[in-house]
Amino acid sequence: MSEHDGASTATSGSQGGAPAVILTVDDDPEVSRSVARDLRRRYGGDYRIVRCQSGGEGLAALRELTLRGVPVALLVADYRMPQMSGIEFLEQAMDLVPSARRVLLTAYADTGAAIDAVNVVDLDHYLLKPWIPAEQLLYPVLDELLGAWLAGGHAVQAELRVVGHQWCRRTADLRDFLARVQAPYRWYPVEQPEALRLLEAAGADAEPLPVVFTAAGQILVAPTRTQVADALGLGTAPSEPVYDLVVVGAGPAGLGAAVYGASEGLRTLLVERTAAGGQAGQSSRIENYLGFPDGVSGAQLAQRARRQAMKFGAEVVTTKTVVALRGAGSQHSVVLDDGVSVAAHAVILATGVSYRRLTGDGLDEFTGRGVYYGASPRQAQDCADKDVVIVGGANSAGQAAVHFARHARSVTIVVRGPSLDASMSRYLIEQVDALENVTVRTCTEVLSARGDDHLTAVTVCDVRDGRTDTLPTGWLFVFIGAEPHTGWLHGRVARDDHGFILAGPDLLHDRRGERAPDTTSRSAGRRKVDESPAAPPAPSTIWPLHRAPYHLETSVPGVFVAGDARAQSGKRVASAVGEGAMAVMLVHRYLAQQ
């Protein structure tokens, strides 16, 4: 490995701790030295340049850097290498350093492969060899990529050290949060001597856990997500009292709304209670999203969308929950859980859904200690050579099964229905069927869980004949049901019997699918409203105005809904993103009439 030297540049990656890394991989010693030399000459003052001569060596270096909490800003890999090509290296590197920018070096004859890699590894750029002069062909490209990496806030993230217990619910929640915001940290299980030395040096006890140590010297004992987000430099409070548009929820629908709202000139605030991505952000690989034929992870898609929204000027607030919606007419008020209230001319509700909780004996007790709702990519590494049980038969469950199967000894999918055909896409069913270490148990449900300090086994039941069976496992992941995050809107916005938000034409019917009562008088010669599609709807207890509601408009004029929280929504990433964009178009139409 080569240490950094050379002149400083404007794109500094050395803020807030150790300098970020630019890592190069090339098996040709001459080319490898040439790449490192040009990188040191331009970026050596602000970045550490690490040179590797094989894909395996590069992955080993990335694992070491990740373990030490050193941020990696840029990966530069040659396409043609023995044992592991540059594309294969970058694809595996995505799991270790998902926020790093990726560049492929290729000869002219291999440009077709480089273009294919744009989708395979979410490639940021490919460069033709040789890149002479570097001032014209190399540095402008890398300057732009490093600038984008810095704009994403990665360089100002302090290195974190986390001491905790693997089977502690609070620790599991913290590690999942750090994974979802792609924050580098070093993990110290409390049983290890090094963890005990850290606690002793800090004067902290082994309870409560986790304990977080920041590069700035802060010691956070059992911190809230907001405290951790503040330590990472993430926005946790609105900067303005009034916005044109407030988007509640940063799943695919909310991110889509924030991108289109900000890009079209609306002062946009995006509020997210955890991290960007929603349920989709936990997907290991989404393969049916338009434009990504080889798939993209939910975390990558979410983080790229978040950066895109911020590039256009959207303000993103994380770890804050919206608890109330007030106001009417052209002025709405969104109240956060810390009591802060912001005004908005229009609001888009993109609160999404969460997985339904299992109710059997012991399942709640072991939540966070072997029972998990959803899954983060890091957990696949924890499950190496273990037996994993996945509950659910939709796409999210299938994606998780395929991902876990790469690491786990066995994966068992438990689904209540007679097959996966009713809820899982065909491409995923075929992938699951092809995996030798994956078993699908149909017509089965989980009854209970047992263990000591963590889960050790679950009892399942065949719903056809009531026979039970015990599955030894320390890892149960649940992907069932879709409960909307709309309880806080009770009595404020019309919802169906399951809590999903009614919008557009649905507002002209009550929750049983009938026409809402007409509160206006009708003369004998006047045509009934429901017989004349062109006539404006009469005011009702659900929809108060004479004009028809816009397609995604809720029972509160100026408040729109997009994505999974909407009644009868498509429950797919593409449809959610599309609804987010459509909602912004309708917001413009609404604002033009005010």
Side-chain angles (χ1 to χ4, degrees):
M1 295 186 180
S2 301
E3 295 299 327
H4 68 285
D5 55 28
S8 176
T9 72
T11 54
S12 174
S14 58
Q15 306 172 45
V21 164
I22 298 175
L23 185 140
T24 74
V25 182
D26 199 307
D27 68 303
D28 186 321
E30 183 177 348
V31 176
S32 179
R33 287 192 293 269
S34 175
V35 174
R37 181 192 65 239
D38 287 345
L39 291 175
R40 283 196 296 270
R41 182 155 56 94
R42 177 80 165 191
Y43 307 108
D46 296 299
Y47 295 86
R48 179 186 172 194
I49 311 302
V50 175
R51 180 166 67 93
C52 301
Q53 292 188 259
S54 72
E57 182 183 339
L59 292 175
L62 289 178
R63 292 188 187 98
E64 179 184 347
L65 293 167
T66 301
L67 187 63
R68 291 160 47 194
V70 177
V72 178
L74 179 68
L75 302 173
V76 182
D78 186 66
Y79 171 62
R80 288 188 176 271
M81 294 188 294
Q83 284 89 43
M84 182 183 296
S85 71
I87 295 177
E88 292 170 333
F89 163 75
L90 291 174
E91 185 173 19
Q92 294 188 46
M94 288 166 64
D95 292 332
L96 297 170
V97 286
S99 65
R101 295 300 193 264
R102 292 170 284 276
V103 175
L104 190 69
L105 299 179
T106 181
Y108 181 79
D110 297 320
T111 52
I115 293 172
D116 291 340
V118 170
N119 286 318
V120 175
V121 297
D122 199 14
L123 193 69
D124 291 292
H125 210 282
Y126 69 89
L127 291 171
L128 294 177
K129 298 182 292 186
W131 50 85
I132 301 172
E135 286 73 11
Q136 296 180 18
L137 302 180
L138 178 66
Y139 296 147
V141 171
L142 301 190
D143 284 349
E144 181 178 353
L145 294 179
L146 290 171
W149 182 80
L150 287 166
H154 302 289
V156 299
Q157 292 178 353
E159 176 188 349
L160 299 181
R161 291 175 292 175
V162 178
V163 175
H165 194 289
Q166 183 177 23
W167 305 116
C168 167
R169 182 183 299 193
R170 289 192 302 265
T171 301
D173 288 344
L174 172 63
R175 295 183 71 193
D176 285 345
F177 174 71
L178 293 175
R180 294 188 65 180
V181 299
Q182 299 185 353
Y185 71 96
R186 187 169 183 180
W187 162 245
Y188 297 88
V190 71
E191 301 85 2
Q192 293 184 355
E194 193 168 357
L196 297 176
R197 284 195 295 269
L198 276 172
L199 293 174
E200 182 180 359
D205 296 325
E207 288 293 341
L209 293 176
V211 178
V212 177
F213 301 82
T214 74
Q218 289 179 289
I219 301 171
L220 307 177
V221 179
T224 64
R225 286 175 176 169
T226 299
Q227 289 173 316
V228 175
D230 285 335
L232 292 171
L234 302 176
T236 59
S239 63
E240 302 291 339
V242 181
Y243 295 85
D244 296 321
L245 173 64
V246 172
V247 181
V248 184
L255 289 166
V259 167
Y260 281 91
S263 67
E264 294 175 10
L266 296 177
R267 291 174 299 165
T268 302
L269 174 68
L270 176 63
V271 183
E272 170 54 39
R273 64 192 181 92
T274 52
Q279 274 193 349
Q282 297 177 292
S283 296
S284 56
R285 181 73 62 173
I286 302 170
E287 297 190 61
N288 59 350
Y289 187 67
L290 183 67
F292 293 88
D294 293 286
V296 60
S297 76
Q300 290 165 347
L301 188 64
Q303 290 303 320
R304 289 172 74 89
R306 178 179 178 274
R307 293 198 304 268
Q308 193 174 15
M310 294 176 68
K311 181 188 77 172
F312 287 122
E315 184 179 340
V316 180
V317 169
T318 59
T319 70
K320 287 293 184 291
T321 300
V322 177
V323 296
L325 176 65
R326 299 171 182 163
S330 61
Q331 192 74 10
H332 303 279
S333 179
V334 172
V335 183
L336 307 184
D337 54 3
D338 59 1
V340 173
S341 178
V342 293
H345 299 304
V347 176
I348 295 177
L349 303 173
T351 51
V353 297
S354 62
Y355 296 115
R356 182 166 56 82
R357 296 267 167 168
L358 296 177
T359 57
D361 292 342
L363 290 163
D364 186 61
E365 175 187 351
F366 290 111
T367 299
R369 298 190 292 130
V371 177
Y372 304 95
Y373 292 86
S376 67
R378 71 155 184 88
Q379 288 173 313
Q381 301 290 338
D382 294 338
C383 294
D385 299 322
K386 303 292 194 309
D387 298 309
V388 172
V389 176
I390 292 175
V391 182
N395 278 6
S396 55
Q399 291 161 353
V402 171
H403 185 60
F404 279 112
R406 301 173 186 170
H407 306 273
R409 178 170 52 209
S410 71
V411 176
T412 300
I413 300 177
V414 174
V415 56
R416 184 177 176 84
S419 72
L420 298 175
D421 294 327
S423 53
M424 189 178 293
S425 296
R426 172 50 53 181
Y427 81 92
L428 271 173
I429 295 175
E430 292 174 352
Q431 289 183 19
V432 168
D433 288 343
L435 295 170
E436 295 182 356
N437 62 336
V438 176
T439 301
V440 180
R441 297 187 58 146
T442 58
C443 300
T444 304
E445 63 181 1
V446 175
L447 289 182
S448 61
R450 68 170 184 263
D452 297 318
D453 64 334
H454 67 280
L455 179 71
T456 58
V458 295
T459 300
V460 297
C461 173
D462 190 313
V463 298
R464 294 166 295 191
D465 55 23
R467 286 185 301 176
T468 62
D469 191 11
T470 298
L471 303 179
T473 182
W475 304 88
L476 177 71
F477 297 94
V478 183
F479 299 87
I480 60 171
E483 296 184 346
H485 296 293
T486 61
W488 60 281
L489 292 167
H490 178 70
R492 178 64 176 142
V493 173
R495 302 178 297 156
D496 68 12
D497 291 333
H498 301 287
F500 292 93
I501 299 172
L502 300 171
D506 289 341
L507 295 175
L508 305 182
H509 301 75
D510 70 15
R511 297 177 190 179
R512 295 183 302 276
E514 300 171 358
R515 173 70 64 178
D518 185 356
T519 58
T520 62
S521 61
R522 294 190 181 99
S523 65
R526 179 181 171 187
R527 298 184 63 183
K528 294 181 180 180
V529 172
D530 58 1
E531 294 177 353
S532 176
S540 73
T541 56
I542 296 180
W543 178 247
L545 303 182
H546 282 279
R547 71 164 174 84
Y550 297 124
H551 182 65
L552 298 177
E553 195 168 18
T554 72
S555 59
V556 178
V559 177
F560 299 80
V561 61
D564 291 355
R566 183 178 66 83
Q568 307 300 319
S569 63
K571 305 297 187 293
R572 287 291 187 265
V573 174
S575 61
V577 172
E579 286 191 7
M582 181 188 296
V584 171
M585 177 189 72
L586 299 175
V587 164
H588 279 293
R589 191 176 300 176
Y590 166 79
L591 293 176
Q593 293 186 350
Q594 300 306 302

